Amino acid sequence: MPLADAPLILIIDDTPEELRALCTLLRAHGFRLSLASEAHQGYQRALALQPALILLDVHMPQMNGFTLCRLLREAPATQRVPIIFLTSASSVDERLEGLSLGGVDYVLKPCVPEEVLARIRIHLQLIWRDSPASAVSAPVERLDTDQVILRAAIRFIDQRLGELPGLGEIAREVGTHDKRLSSIFREHLGMTVFAYIREARLRRGQALLLDSDMSIQDIADLVGFRSACNFTTAFRERLGLTPSQFRQQAGGSQSLVHAHP
């Protein structure tokens, strides 16, 4: 295979000297490599180069690997690129977070280069099997950085409605700061982050009222309201009904549908 056609592996790690043996092995087996020593640089290279696979560290300054993974999974150009976490972050919670964010594998340092090579080959074979070269690829949607951050923030919020951290922590989890995140929400959604969170909680509450028999208190807890009273007040202000009235009306409508097919 000509070198220009060889798969490109992007390595994002702030201590690349630890991976010298692995890099030597990968080059010896015909892979092209691109190295980024910090997350922002890695993000830009991933978008520009669209590598076949990414090896990603977790503990890096400024932006950690989990935050970078969130952004890469929201950017259309990189959302299907397999990401293998290669890191010393060894706790069970860290390993589970990496996999839940979309990492295809999680390898601990110090690593055995031959094992990493084997894992890379497995994941590339899976990609090539599922995406044959003959398939016609659709045009890739283009998003600017703010749009990617917005998508990552919305996903983060929607997945953690019941136990959301403060605005500053939400912003850090998606690679920015609170003022910029607030500006992005106002520009793209016409509302503040807190207004979006409130709407998301009420939407989830509506769905649970319709699709479950959970108590109002349990629903309030699950979607992040401090009490059933707070949930009821916000729900009535938004929809003109209390949660109980909404559930009764919805139940009555469903009964009519079933009675008159």
Side-chain angles (χ1 to χ4, degrees), residues 122-178:
I122 289 170
H123 291 295
L124 289 179
Q125 287 168 0
L126 291 173
I127 289 292
W128 292 333
R129 184 196 67 188
D130 295 338
S131 305
S134 58
V136 177
S137 58
V140 175
E141 180 186 5
R142 293 187 179 275
L143 298 179
D144 62 30
T145 301
D146 282 0
Q147 291 172 310
V148 172
I149 290 173
L150 178 64
R151 285 189 175 189
I154 286 173
R155 190 181 301 276
F156 181 86
I157 290 167
D158 288 349
Q159 290 176 342
R160 292 167 174 78
L161 281 177
E163 46 186 20
L164 270 175
L167 177 59
E169 180 61 24
I170 294 172
R172 282 191 293 274
E173 291 288 349
V174 297
T176 188
H177 53 80
D178 53 355

Side-chain angles (χ1 to χ4, degrees), residues 11-16 35-39 41-42 45 60-61:
I11 300 174
I12 307 172
D13 194 307
D14 65 327
T15 54
L35 275 67
S37 58
E38 58 92 19
Q41 180 188 46
R45 288 198 181 189
M60 294 184 286

Side-chain angles (χ1 to χ4, degrees), residues 64 66-67 69-70 85 91-103 106 156 160 173:
N64 68 35
F66 294 148
T67 295
C69 186
R70 283 191 184 92
F85 284 99
S91 74
V92 172
D93 286 345
E94 287 170 320
R95 298 200 301 270
L96 290 175
E97 182 167 8
L99 296 172
S100 71
L101 289 173
Y106 202 102
F156 181 86
R160 292 167 174 78
E173 291 288 349

